[in-house]
Amino acid sequence: MAMRFHSFFCFTINRSVRILFSVLLLAFCWLNPVSAEAESPAQIVNLRHWTNPTYTRVVLDLSRTADYKYNVLPGDASKGLSPRIYLDIPDSTRDLAVSPVVEIEDGLLRRVRFGTPEPGRTRMVIDLVTSADFKVFHLEDPYRIVIDIGGNQKPVLSARSPEIRNSPPGRGSDALAEVLGRNAAPAAKKRPSPANNERSGLRRIVVDPGHGGKDPGAVGPNGVLEKDITLAMAKLLKKQLEKDIGCEVILTRDRDVFLPLEARTAIANKVGADLFISLHANASHHRSAHGTETYYLNLSKNDQAAAVAARENGTTLKEVGDLEAILFDLMANAKINESGRLAAEIQKSMVSRLSRKYSNIRDLGVRQGPFYVLLGATMPSVLVEAAFISNHREEARLVTQDFQQNTALAISQAVRNYGVALELLAQR
């Protein structure tokens, strides 16, 4: 009897353990699903490029995160081979909507080709006209690989819109990407330069209204959208710069459309801009946070700067840290010192002007951060956080044309001071 009871007791315990183990296994699988995406190869879903004779940016859109490696092969005239950059992506495939050969012929690049050197590995080859400097980096959410290629020719001023061409969109590409070529940067009207500015070193400025389209940016406590504020401010700043500087001003967007972050500096590089100014409204979980600050590209110096970069990049703090690891390679040609000087002029001018008009204007200073929107810019570039849209008082100010106009006046005056100090503009 005792033995039967012991056997029954052991069977019951073992059955309970088995049931508990099964429940835990099911819970683990539910909390950690093995998705089809993780098991399947990464897919190249689109190829985009921005091009002129001195600069080309090629962007590969992928369905998920992927490893990659790249190298350059020298040309061999005796074999009729031009210099080539190649990029290998293991465990990947190419969507059939992406053409295997994309002709570019912009004076710097001949074409982009795709091949499969071995099953499961995709190779992209960029045929160059001549040897050129290049840099490669990737951006997150959605995952894309960016290749910047620079030549030696000087950009030529032209009133044409920057050319943004896509291969036929693959699955997962943004629908608005198809119209970016028409809407990304409308052609600026030619304006006669003032007599004292005939030899201006600031011939063209690109102003970038942050966010747009499906990306609203930060949302204020009363529902005000950052994308609407930045667009309104950018239009006023364009008019003010044209009046004060007499230069050509191009907006990266002049309506409510989505524009990927990598497209914004690509536009500035393509048109040979002398300055790039990206406009934003700040946000914080703390409703009491307020003030104005100006950023330029560099390694972030504190957690607050990293947090702002993460929000504007649409990434996590960890991904911001990963980006900093490759910034050393990316900043070789960036005009860091000039960007810092421009940021200082803008910050000083904004605080000075706005303090005369409004109370409680807080000077948060000039900061450095790893912002996607500034990556790859070949001219002095800054990101302006005009005020906190998350703060009730500053949200109410941001929606008024008076605040927007005074912000535009302050930035325009700062650009003039910057130009005069560097002898890019004549004093008046």
Side-chain angles (χ1 to χ4, degrees), residues 397-420:
R397 289 174 177 172
L398 282 166
V399 298
T400 66
Q401 187 173 22
D402 184 72
F403 186 88
Q404 295 169 7
Q405 184 63 58
N406 275 289
T407 301
L409 283 165
I411 296 174
S412 183
Q413 183 59 53
V415 170
R416 166 156 281 283
N417 293 342
Y418 168 87
V420 169

Side-chain angles (χ1 to χ4, degrees), residues 7-125:
S7 299
F8 175 77
F9 178 76
C10 290
F11 173 79
T12 302
I13 292 297
N14 290 338
R15 183 170 180 270
S16 299
V17 169
R18 287 198 300 272
I19 292 172
L20 178 61
F21 178 78
S22 298
V23 170
L24 290 174
L25 182 61
L26 286 172
F28 176 81
C29 293
W30 181 72
L31 292 172
N32 299 274
V34 180
S35 66
E37 178 181 289
E39 293 178 336
S40 63
Q43 191 171 49
I44 298 170
V45 297
N46 203 9
L47 169 72
R48 296 173 284 137
H49 61 93
W50 295 260
T51 178
N52 74 5
T54 184
Y55 162 83
T56 298
R57 170 169 284 181
V58 177
V59 177
L60 278 183
D61 296 310
L62 281 77
S63 61
R64 66 170 175 85
T65 301
D67 293 327
Y68 61 91
K69 63 178 182 178
Y70 57 89
N71 209 334
V72 63
L73 298 173
D76 188 337
S78 64
K79 297 180 180 179
L81 296 175
S82 61
R84 298 161 327 272
I85 299 169
Y86 73 85
L87 185 141
D88 279 355
I89 309 174
D91 192 24
S92 69
T93 61
R94 174 180 55 85
D95 191 298
L96 294 179
V98 180
S99 175
V101 179
V102 179
E103 298 290 343
I104 296 181
E105 297 295 350
D106 62 358
L108 183 59
L109 274 64
R110 298 188 189 279
R111 67 189 65 83
V112 176
R113 305 180 274 122
F114 290 97
T116 308
E118 62 184 39
R121 179 158 61 101
T122 304
R123 171 170 291 178
M124 182 183 75
V125 178

Side-chain angles (χ1 to χ4, degrees), residues 205-211 226 230-231 233-234 237 241 250-253 259-261 264-265 268 275-281 293-296 312-313 342 346 350 371-375 377 380-386 407 411:
I205 297 173
V206 169
V207 175
D208 171 48
H211 308 281
E226 181 182 0
T230 59
L231 181 57
M233 248 189 304
L237 178 56
L241 287 168
I250 290 177
L251 300 182
T252 56
R253 64 180 182 95
L259 197 63
L261 295 177
R264 299 169 188 255
T265 46
L275 297 178
F276 177 80
I277 302 172
S278 188
L279 299 178
H280 293 261
E293 57 190 348
T294 309
Y295 286 86
Y296 63 100
E312 297 295 359
N313 293 346
L342 175 61
I346 290 176
M350 286 184 63
F371 291 89
Y372 281 172
V373 74
L374 303 180
L375 278 179
S381 55
V382 297
L383 183 146
V384 179
E385 299 279 7
T407 301
I411 296 174

Side-chain angles (χ1 to χ4, degrees), residues 164-228:
I164 301 179
R165 292 181 285 177
N166 294 346
S167 63
R171 289 188 298 275
S173 64
D174 193 284
L176 283 171
E178 299 179 43
V179 297
L180 287 181
R182 297 194 303 273
N183 295 340
K189 295 179 181 179
K190 287 291 186 180
R191 296 175 60 90
S193 299
N196 66 349
N197 194 32
E198 290 181 355
R199 295 187 179 181
S200 168
L202 297 180
R203 305 163 302 162
R204 175 174 285 169
I205 297 173
V206 169
V207 175
D208 171 48
H211 308 281
K214 69 179 184 180
D215 175 16
V219 181
N222 292 307
V224 176
L225 303 181
E226 181 182 0
K227 67 175 183 177
D228 296 333

Side-chain angles (χ1 to χ4, degrees), residues 327-369:
L327 266 181
F328 288 108
D329 294 330
L330 300 181
M331 294 190 304
N333 296 320
K335 297 183 179 293
I336 299 299
N337 292 336
E338 293 94 328
S339 296
R341 187 163 188 166
L342 175 61
E345 289 287 357
I346 290 176
Q347 182 66 18
K348 180 175 68 174
S349 182
M350 286 184 63
V351 171
S352 174
R353 184 172 190 88
L354 295 176
S355 294
R356 295 197 300 269
K357 302 283 185 176
Y358 303 94
S359 60
N360 297 311
I361 296 297
R362 186 182 179 195
D363 182 4
L364 296 177
V366 173
R367 300 176 185 269
Q368 304 166 53

Side-chain angles (χ1 to χ4, degrees), residues 140-141 261 308-315 320 323 370-373:
E140 305 284 346
D141 194 28
L261 295 177
V308 173
R311 184 179 65 80
E312 297 295 359
N313 293 346
T315 60
V320 167
L323 174 61
F371 291 89
Y372 281 172
V373 74

